[in-house]
Amino acid sequence: MTTVEERSTMPQERESNPAANAADRPIGYGRIQRKEDPRFVRGKGRYLDDIVLPGMLHGAILRSPMAHARLVSIDTTEALAHPKVHAVITGKDLEGLNLAWAPTLSADTMAVLATDKVRFQGQEVAFVVAEDRYSARDALELIDVEYEELPVVIDARRALEPGTAVIRDDKEGKTDNHIFDWEAGDKAETDAVFARAAVVVSEEVVYPRVHPAPMETCGAIADYDPIDGKLTLYETTQAPHAHRTLYAMVAGIPEHKIRIIAGDIGGGFGNKVGIYPGYVCAVVGSIVTGKPVKWVEDRSENLMSTSFARDYIMKGEVAATKDGKILAVRTHVLADHGAFNATAQPTKYPAGFFSIFTGSYDLEAAHCSVTGVYTNKAPGGVAYACSFRVTEAVYLVERMVDVLAQKLEMDPAELRLKNFIRPEQFPYKNKTGWEYDSGDYEPALRMCMEQIGYADLRREQEEKRARGELMGIGVSFFTETVGAGPRKHMDIVGLGMADGAEVRVHPTGKAVVRLSVQTQGQGHETTFAQIVAEELGIPPEDIEVVHGDTDQTPFGLGTYGSRSTPVSGGAVALAARKVRDKAKAIAAAMLETRPEDLDWEKGRFFVKGDPSAAKTIQEVALGAHGTVALPDGIDGNLDAEVTYDPPNLTFPFGAYICVVDIDPGTGKVKVRRFVAVDDCGTRINPMIVEGQIHGGLADGVGMALMEFIGFDEQGNCLGGSFMDYLIPTAMEVPDWETGYTVTPSPHHPIGAKGIGESATVGSPPAVVNAVVDALAPFGVTHMDMPCTPARVWEAMQGRPTPPI
Amino acid sequence: MQVPAPFDYVRATSVGNTLELLERHGPESRVVAGGHSLLPMMKLRLARPEWLIDINDVAELRHITEEPDRLRVGSLTRHAALLASDVVGRLFPIVHDAEKVIADPVVRNRGTIGGSLGQADPAEDLTTVCDVLRASVVIAGPGGERVVDMAEFHRGPYETACEQHELITEVRFPIRPRMGSAYEKVERRVGDWAVGAAGAAVQMADDGTIADAAIGLTALGLEGLATEVAAVLVGQRPSEDLITEAGRLAAAASSPVEDQRGPVDYKRHLADELTRRVLRRALDRVGATVPAA
Ligand SMILES: Cc1cc2nc3c(=O)[nH]c(=O)nc-3n(C[C@H](O)[C@H](O)[C@H](O)COP(=O)(O)OP(=O)(O)OC[C@H]3O[C@@H](n4cnc5c(N)ncnc54)[C@H](O)[C@@H]3O)c2cc1C
């Protein structure tokens, strides 16, 4: 069922000020201010670097200046002689502990500290532990490393050429830089459709390497207690429980003796899913020195060495009829994974969920093949709010649909409307095996067109074109696939993708919710309190949300791929319902009636036909812990715990339209307007939903216009600071205009689909499509991101160049 | 956190005291003004001074003084102060054009004109502005004060006439009648250094011809003024053809290098495009009309 509601920015939807207007505040879903914000707006967030432990030492990492070189020798004598240095750890030392290499999240290995070779610029070579962070850095300069330079592999297109240097000669028998080949869909069927199609368009579409660049860089404080053998590890992680298990498996510390604490996390976007060498070194440093060791990377280290995103070179092809019926899509992708295959994604999906490249369209056939290669670059690949490569998939199909529209001289919005999966086709099985849970695409696109005034804009564009002015209108329509598992299909290093939640109502009717997922700024302390509030009628401010401490929370895989609400949201709702069922039995005992004779209205049970005979949830809570004679099988508390294994993913969608103006003399792109109509199913807190969208749209404009991690021929990283890796400011983005439709997920306990990554996924093609649309008078059919002034100007000269 | 190599720090109280401190602490001492160029380089350990001599308390270096035939600007004047000054905006609109696009408000609140000229970064904007305004720089040293023009002051990327033991105290801008000026920069994002920029100043004669013209480029591989451009402008009446020619010559005078901001041909194009734009705006500001072609 779909209800198309009013624009979300309608005044009556604005949240009331909770303090001023307590009575209006929703107990459940609705706009309320974020419970966590009082500490953030006062500067009282507690990030990793705010934590100071008694006697704490500081670590710093020596990194490779070269992209590919043999390690000839490391001399640490001088560094060790520094009066404030406590330890210097090298790969050799780690070899003794069997920790020089560690498993990645993608069935590969990665060097913790280099032993044989360095394989990318910025790779970790040695770790210094000193009394303060200044001395630690000073001592790095006292370590003498001799390197023997090796030929570098930078161009992914040439990584598999015979005779190319082999990066992973640490792997037995490895004679090339090939990682994997993977495919989805039916090749023969797809080729057959292409063979008979009247129209075929193709382009090479590059999604260049970008970086999530969270405001807070990565870091850890390891505190190993040699007496009771317990390791407390404070970490910037999006997945505390998965980390704990991995440390137990790799480092041999028993799992019950490891406690991971993730405090406030200053942005993750996928950058903080993996385990980085710095974390492991901090642990070893603490074990070696017997003191807590803090390690926090700086901005350049974060940009140069931690998980990047994308780096997909995609050959895209679309087959269609002359009148614009899209028949099939096929693509081959060359995926640059860097020096170690360390992407964080479900085991069976080496290219993530890229096979959703069929988009929002009803196709006859589709096929993709993906080849992953090693290069002398930092490892990673799945990060930056990409929903396991849905970003690349959506960019490819949405760019290619525009290429087709241009070829057919059809309006790109009309072309999309013509090809959408129709509402009655849901649940829709696509040609690569996904089952889209629900969707109603046309109303969303029509709403977006209406809101931006699409027809008027096209008229304006025509007038401007006649005057030589460059204005572009870009449309994108995306379908996301988020909320992984189910666990039988999806795991990360063998851990099934399910998440737990525990709801506990205290005697006075206040509650605590414990989560396995980890907020990085998404507002979990509010959203999850609202889910419980909706189910139990306890006001959100009476509900404490606990997360980010493995000693205090149930097991689960963590927050990435927009999983929190689809997975833990399901767990919380089901746990709250269990509590409610229990409360009902207790209420019945208190009211001396049978549970079947009670009705529930948010916050209280009452006897059917006698609303005055009632017990509030708070009264029941006291009863549960008090002296009420409990019914058989009901014990004296009001708690429940659920691990939610999602039956399927959820498929949020949205329609985005972007308007750009381009300075014809300089190639500078100005984003004039951006309307985003999103459908994430049930909207728990519309303000938080919009906040997530605003952030993602800014990400999208950033990637489309400026973000790019490049390398020179020697493998030097050219994006290693915020002077070189540009992220957008308020000046580059317009005032966002948002709208929404609501198509609940039929299989989800509360119908919610997840929103964290929708805008990051959906907005880059809208911006690039607008730029290409503006440049159409120059005969441009495609240009790659980032659309910097120089690159736009080159496209205007008839020679758009790929960024890599 | 990036941390610099160890250094010592002292706060100077006056120009004289600064010079004394520079002398006392020797060649590895450096003056710090806004710190927005020096500190990042120290954090990257590209600069490793042993002593930092902080001149932020030296009040005599912080002033904007209008005199009948010149404007005197103390070297410690912040970007933000230049941008906020009505006098500066009235006399030399080019300075406001440039200041609006130098870095961001946070940097502008600290960065100074003296530090900008002293740093002499090839993509730094105020050097071009001072070039086209024919400014001169006052340098104080142990032997007293000297005044040098920009051609002498700016020796090339990261090199100026101000020696390590000297101090830039003031920048002087001649005030000339019937003068218009303008600056335009292309950047990839607000706060980014220039991909390319151009500045122009024109002085009109009573008969409607151009009496004096100065064109400068930023980050486009031209040191000092584009004299060939000025040569074709002076003595001429503004016209579309003249502007086109000026742009063409500016492009010819540039010798940009390819980097992440763009290829050579694009930057050369910018020299042309931006020169035409700033020339047109400078003429417009002085009320000189350019007849339609
Ligand atoms: C993010 C960012 C973006 C920027 N973008 C731009 C931009 O777009 N355009 C632009 O032009 N600039 C830009 N800058 C530079 C900024 O304008 C600097 O502030 C300026 O270049 C240096 O001024 P400062 O006062 O900070 O100098 P400092 O960093 O204090 O000093 C710079 C150098 O000048 C010397 N020095 C300083 N004062 C004197 C003096 N009185 N006499 C002799 N020597 C002196 C110092 O010893 C040092 O060598 C940017 C800076 C940052 C951090």
Side-chain angles (χ1 to χ4, degrees):
Chain A
M1 181 210 71
T2 296
T3 50
V4 178
E5 296 180 31
E6 297 274 13
R7 273 182 63 172
S8 54
T9 43
M10 296 296 272
Q12 67 269 25
E13 254 243 8
R14 290 209 185 284
E15 67 272 23
S16 46
N17 176 347
N21 213 351
D24 289 354
R25 201 166 2 148
I27 294 177
Y29 303 159
R31 285 171 187 266
I32 59 168
Q33 292 184 354
R34 302 200 325 167
K35 286 166 44 127
E36 46 270 81
D37 281 347
R39 72 174 183 276
F40 293 134
V41 299
R42 287 171 173 82
K44 296 289 181 196
R46 226 168 126 71
Y47 298 96
L48 184 104
D49 207 20
D50 297 322
I51 300 167
V52 176
L53 301 182
M56 187 173 79
L57 301 175
H58 295 264
I61 292 176
L62 181 72
R63 293 176 182 277
S64 165
M66 275 167 224
H68 200 191
R70 196 160 299 288
L71 270 183
V72 180
S73 63
I74 305 184
D75 183 352
T76 59
T77 332
E78 258 196 84
L80 276 166
H82 188 292
K84 291 189 173 173
V85 167
H86 285 234
V88 180
I89 298 162
T90 64
K92 252 205 175 61
D93 302 323
L94 293 186
E95 258 175 350
L97 303 165
N98 207 14
L99 278 178
W101 291 82
T104 69
L105 299 179
S106 289
D108 194 1
T109 50
M110 64 173 190
V112 177
L113 292 176
T115 48
D116 54 340
K117 294 203 299 188
V118 288
R119 293 174 170 82
F120 66 93
Q121 189 190 46
Q123 190 184 330
E124 299 78 3
V125 174
F127 189 74
V128 169
V129 183
E131 267 161 46
D132 56 59
R133 57 185 14 151
Y134 306 96
S135 320
R137 290 262 165 166
D138 290 345
L140 294 182
E141 299 187 335
L142 303 175
I143 301 173
D144 197 13
V145 186
E146 197 185 326
Y147 296 99
E148 180 189 305
E149 250 180 284
L150 295 168
V152 295
V153 184
I154 293 303
D155 184 352
R157 292 181 179 87
R158 304 183 55 186
L160 297 180
E161 280 177 8
T164 307
V166 178
I167 297 168
R168 296 304 301 278
D169 48 1
D170 57 292
K171 291 164 92 83
E172 187 118 350
K174 191 83 186 140
T175 55
D176 60 20
N177 295 312
H178 182 263
I179 309 177
F180 66 85
D181 286 310
W182 181 81
E183 63 181 317
D186 187 323
K187 181 163 173 16
E189 195 180 298
T190 307
D191 290 349
V193 175
F194 268 86
R196 65 176 157 78
V199 182
V200 171
V201 289
S202 79
E203 286 285 349
E204 184 178 280
V205 173
V206 176
Y207 209 135
R209 180 176 281 233
V210 293
H211 198 279
M215 194 77 97
E216 181 199 32
T217 59
C218 300
I221 304 169
D223 185 7
Y224 183 74
D225 184 332
I227 310 296
D228 65 9
K230 181 144 185 172
L231 172 69
T232 304
L233 186 57
Y234 302 81
E235 262 193 341
T236 51
T237 176
Q238 302 173 217
H241 289 277
H243 275 208
R244 183 182 59 184
T245 307
L246 289 172
Y247 284 113
M249 287 170 165
V250 174
I253 303 171
E255 195 166 4
H256 66 295
K257 291 290 188 185
I258 302 175
R259 177 183 184 190
I260 307 279
I261 299 177
D264 286 325
I265 305 286
F269 313 104
N271 189 237
K272 293 170 178 165
V273 175
I275 291 180
Y276 292 119
Y279 303 169
V280 180
C281 287
V283 173
V284 175
S286 180
I287 293 173
V288 169
T289 61
K291 302 240 167 94
V293 173
K294 178 190 274 189
W295 166 76
V296 181
E297 69 191 1
D298 67 32
R299 180 61 58 193
S300 293
E301 293 181 288
N302 179 256
L303 288 169
M304 288 174 68
S305 72
T306 63
S307 278
F308 69 94
R310 330 287 191 250
D311 224 343
Y312 260 31
I313 299 171
M314 305 178 275
K315 169 89 190 293
E317 292 176 287
V318 176
T321 63
K322 280 204 186 86
D323 59 354
K325 174 78 192 100
I326 302 173
L327 303 172
V329 179
R330 102 186 140 187
T331 179
H332 175 72
V333 179
L334 183 62
D336 184 342
H337 282 231
F340 309 108
N341 185 21
T343 64
Q345 58 206 353
T347 305
K348 288 185 208 156
Y349 299 82
F353 300 161
F354 179 76
S355 61
I356 196 89
F357 70 93
T358 55
S360 314
Y361 311 107
D362 184 23
L363 307 180
E364 286 179 17
H367 180 257
C368 73
S369 58
V370 182
T371 299
V373 297
Y374 291 117
T375 59
N376 288 120
K377 301 176 194 167
V382 170
Y384 206 167
C386 78
S387 306
F388 299 122
R389 304 245 191 231
V390 181
T391 324
E392 290 91 327
V394 165
Y395 181 66
L396 176 77
V397 66
E398 287 308 290
R399 193 69 274 290
M400 289 311 298
V401 167
D402 258 39
V403 172
L404 178 66
Q406 201 176 350
K407 167 103 173 189
L408 296 174
E409 296 180 3
M410 269 183 80
D411 182 275
E414 289 306 321
L415 180 60
R416 285 175 171 82
L417 287 166
K418 195 179 169 109
N419 286 284
F420 278 151
I421 300 163
R422 295 182 311 279
E424 67 275 12
Q425 290 177 286
F426 289 93
Y428 176 82
K429 189 123 189 168
N430 88 336
K431 295 294 175 194
T432 55
W434 299 101
E435 187 177 297
Y436 294 26
D437 58 348
S438 63
D440 193 357
Y441 297 160
E442 182 171 339
L445 181 52
R446 294 236 182 255
M447 175 185 280
C448 190
M449 292 168 72
E450 175 98 348
Q451 196 166 327
I452 204 156
Y454 190 74
D456 288 345
L457 285 169
R458 285 284 174 210
R459 267 193 296 279
E460 181 192 339
Q461 182 184 38
E462 207 171 308
E463 287 163 22
K464 290 209 156 136
R465 276 197 179 151
R467 294 200 296 267
E469 290 171 41
L470 304 181
M471 165 185 168
I473 305 158
V475 180
S476 125
F477 196 98
F478 66 91
T479 297
E480 266 254 75
T481 175
V482 305
R487 60 198 282 269
K488 66 171 184 278
H489 297 311
M490 292 170 193
D491 67 274
I492 288 191
V493 286
L495 300 172
M497 298 188 78
D499 274 81
E502 185 205 275
V503 174
R504 175 179 298 182
V505 184
H506 302 309
T508 57
K510 316 289 181 191
V512 57
V513 193
R514 299 174 194 278
L515 303 172
S516 57
V517 288
Q518 174 61 40
T519 189
Q520 310 129 44
Q522 294 95 329
H524 286 187
E525 288 163 42
T526 310
T527 298
F528 287 98
Q530 286 184 268
I531 294 174
V532 175
E534 182 74 24
E535 299 295 334
L536 294 180
I538 299 173
E541 65 270 25
D542 288 352
I543 301 164
E544 186 75 0
V545 175
V546 175
H547 50 94
D549 180 346
T550 53
D551 272 7
Q552 289 202 52
T553 55
F555 185 85
L557 275 242
T559 296
Y560 41 85
S562 299
R563 297 182 75 247
S564 295
T565 304
V567 188
S568 272
V572 167
L574 294 181
R577 283 172 198 171
K578 272 193 176 176
V579 164
R580 197 170 68 203
D581 288 346
K582 189 168 182 180
K584 188 175 195 176
I586 297 167
M590 291 169 82
L591 291 164
E592 294 175 359
T593 179
R594 297 175 313 167
E596 311 84 273
D597 294 332
L598 292 182
D599 262 343
W600 166 254
E601 116 192 318
K602 208 190 261 183
R604 65 199 274 274
F605 294 97
F606 60 92
V607 176
K608 283 181 182 153
D610 180 10
S612 65
K615 288 287 171 200
T616 65
I617 186 79
Q618 289 81 2
E619 288 165 338
V620 176
L622 198 53
H625 296 89
T627 56
V628 173
L630 296 167
D632 282 351
I634 301 287
D635 49 3
N637 63 36
L638 213 46
D639 306 352
E641 185 169 341
V642 165
T643 296
Y644 182 68
D645 179 18
N648 185 9
L649 293 115
T650 62
F651 295 75
F653 58 90
Y656 291 176
I657 301 181
C658 172
V659 183
V660 302
D661 296 300
I662 297 179
D663 180 333
T666 64
K668 194 158 169 118
V669 177
K670 168 106 193 131
V671 178
R672 191 206 304 175
R673 282 185 70 194
F674 201 111
V675 174
V677 172
D678 273 275
D679 191 319
C680 61
T682 303
R683 292 155 58 90
I684 297 157
N685 184 329
M687 183 194 73
I688 288 181
V689 169
E690 280 162 17
Q692 293 286 292
I693 293 167
H694 289 185
L697 294 176
D699 282 347
V701 168
M703 286 181 281
L705 298 189
M706 61 193 81
E707 297 184 32
F708 174 50
I709 301 263
F711 293 84
D712 69 12
E713 282 171 10
Q714 286 77 47
N716 294 306
C717 176
L718 303 177
S721 83
F722 275 162
M723 296 296 286
D724 305 300
Y725 188 74
L726 301 176
I727 50 175
T729 73
M731 303 300 289
E732 281 78 35
V733 299
D735 283 345
W736 307 116
E737 300 168 68
T738 57
Y740 64 95
T741 59
V742 176
T743 312
S745 170
H747 65 70
H748 190 265
I750 57 174
K753 288 186 168 184
I755 190 65
E757 302 172 318
S758 286
T760 315
V761 166
S763 57
V767 182
V768 176
N769 285 347
V771 170
V772 173
D773 183 49
L775 299 181
F778 298 90
V780 176
T781 55
H782 174 66
M783 84 164 283
D784 286 317
M785 300 180 272
C787 302
T788 61
R791 295 173 46 73
V792 169
W793 182 81
E794 284 181 309
M796 286 164 61
Q797 309 308 305
R799 45 186 165 83
T801 43
I804 49 173
Chain B
M1 188 175 81
Q2 283 162 331
V3 292
F7 64 92
D8 277 307
Y9 172 88
V10 59
R11 292 183 85 87
T13 53
S14 66
V15 170
N17 179 235
T18 309
L19 295 173
E20 261 167 51
L21 289 166
L22 280 166
E23 169 107 37
R24 188 184 316 157
H25 297 302
E28 298 308 320
S29 62
R30 288 281 279 279
V31 163
V32 64
H36 270 300
S37 289
L38 185 52
L39 299 188
M41 290 202 307
M42 287 171 62
K43 286 176 158 197
L44 293 169
R45 301 197 177 208
L46 295 172
R48 328 174 58 116
E50 286 168 11
W51 279 87
L52 275 194
I53 298 167
D54 187 337
I55 58 170
N56 282 279
D57 292 342
V58 183
E60 63 198 284
L61 294 178
R62 198 166 8 196
H63 61 89
I64 298 176
T65 314
E66 186 182 4
E67 293 176 354
D69 58 349
R70 64 182 184 182
L71 182 77
R72 291 170 35 221
V73 175
S75 61
L76 198 61
T77 306
R78 314 273 178 206
H79 293 301
L82 286 169
L83 191 51
S85 162
D86 292 339
V87 177
V88 170
R90 170 166 51 78
L91 294 172
F92 308 114
I94 183 175
V95 178
H96 279 191
D97 287 351
E99 286 294 359
K100 278 182 201 148
V101 293
I102 290 177
D104 51 45
V106 179
V107 174
R108 293 201 291 261
N109 283 340
R110 295 294 296 170
T112 65
I113 186 169
S116 294
L117 297 186
Q119 180 68 24
D121 188 292
E124 183 271 312
D125 296 288
L126 288 183
T127 296
T128 304
V129 169
C130 291
D131 276 339
V132 302
L133 292 178
R134 303 194 192 285
S136 50
V137 180
V138 184
I139 300 172
E145 225 177 61
R146 61 203 169 98
V147 182
V148 297
D149 64 19
M150 281 301 291
E152 191 184 337
F153 175 79
H154 185 85
R155 291 186 178 156
Y158 309 107
E159 252 198 277
T160 72
C162 180
E163 302 293 336
Q164 182 275 331
H165 58 280
E166 295 181 312
L167 184 70
I168 302 167
T169 54
E170 198 169 279
V171 184
R172 293 178 180 165
F173 298 94
I175 299 175
R176 294 179 288 160
R178 294 181 59 81
M179 206 185 80
S181 62
Y183 192 78
E184 186 166 335
K185 164 173 161 180
V186 170
E187 50 190 3
R188 294 171 301 177
R189 187 204 65 188
V190 161
D192 187 22
W193 294 81
V195 179
V202 290
Q203 188 177 14
M204 301 304 291
D206 290 341
D207 65 356
T209 60
I210 298 171
D212 186 26
I215 304 289
L217 302 174
T218 304
L220 294 172
L222 172 74
E223 296 297 342
L225 293 171
T227 45
E228 306 85 340
V229 183
V232 300
L233 293 171
V234 171
Q236 302 294 315
R237 273 173 207 288
S239 72
E240 286 298 337
D241 283 349
L242 194 65
I243 291 174
T244 305
E245 180 64 1
R248 194 184 65 77
L249 288 171
S254 70
S255 58
V257 290
E258 169 157 11
D259 59 14
Q260 289 246 94
R261 291 185 168 77
V264 168
D265 56 354
Y266 172 66
K267 292 187 178 183
R268 224 183 260 291
H269 163 77
L270 282 187
D272 177 355
E273 176 76 28
L274 296 179
T275 295
R276 284 185 282 119
R277 288 186 186 188
V278 290
L279 190 54
R280 196 185 300 278
R281 195 167 333 128
L283 287 165
D284 189 52
R285 281 177 172 160
V286 72
T289 46
V290 181

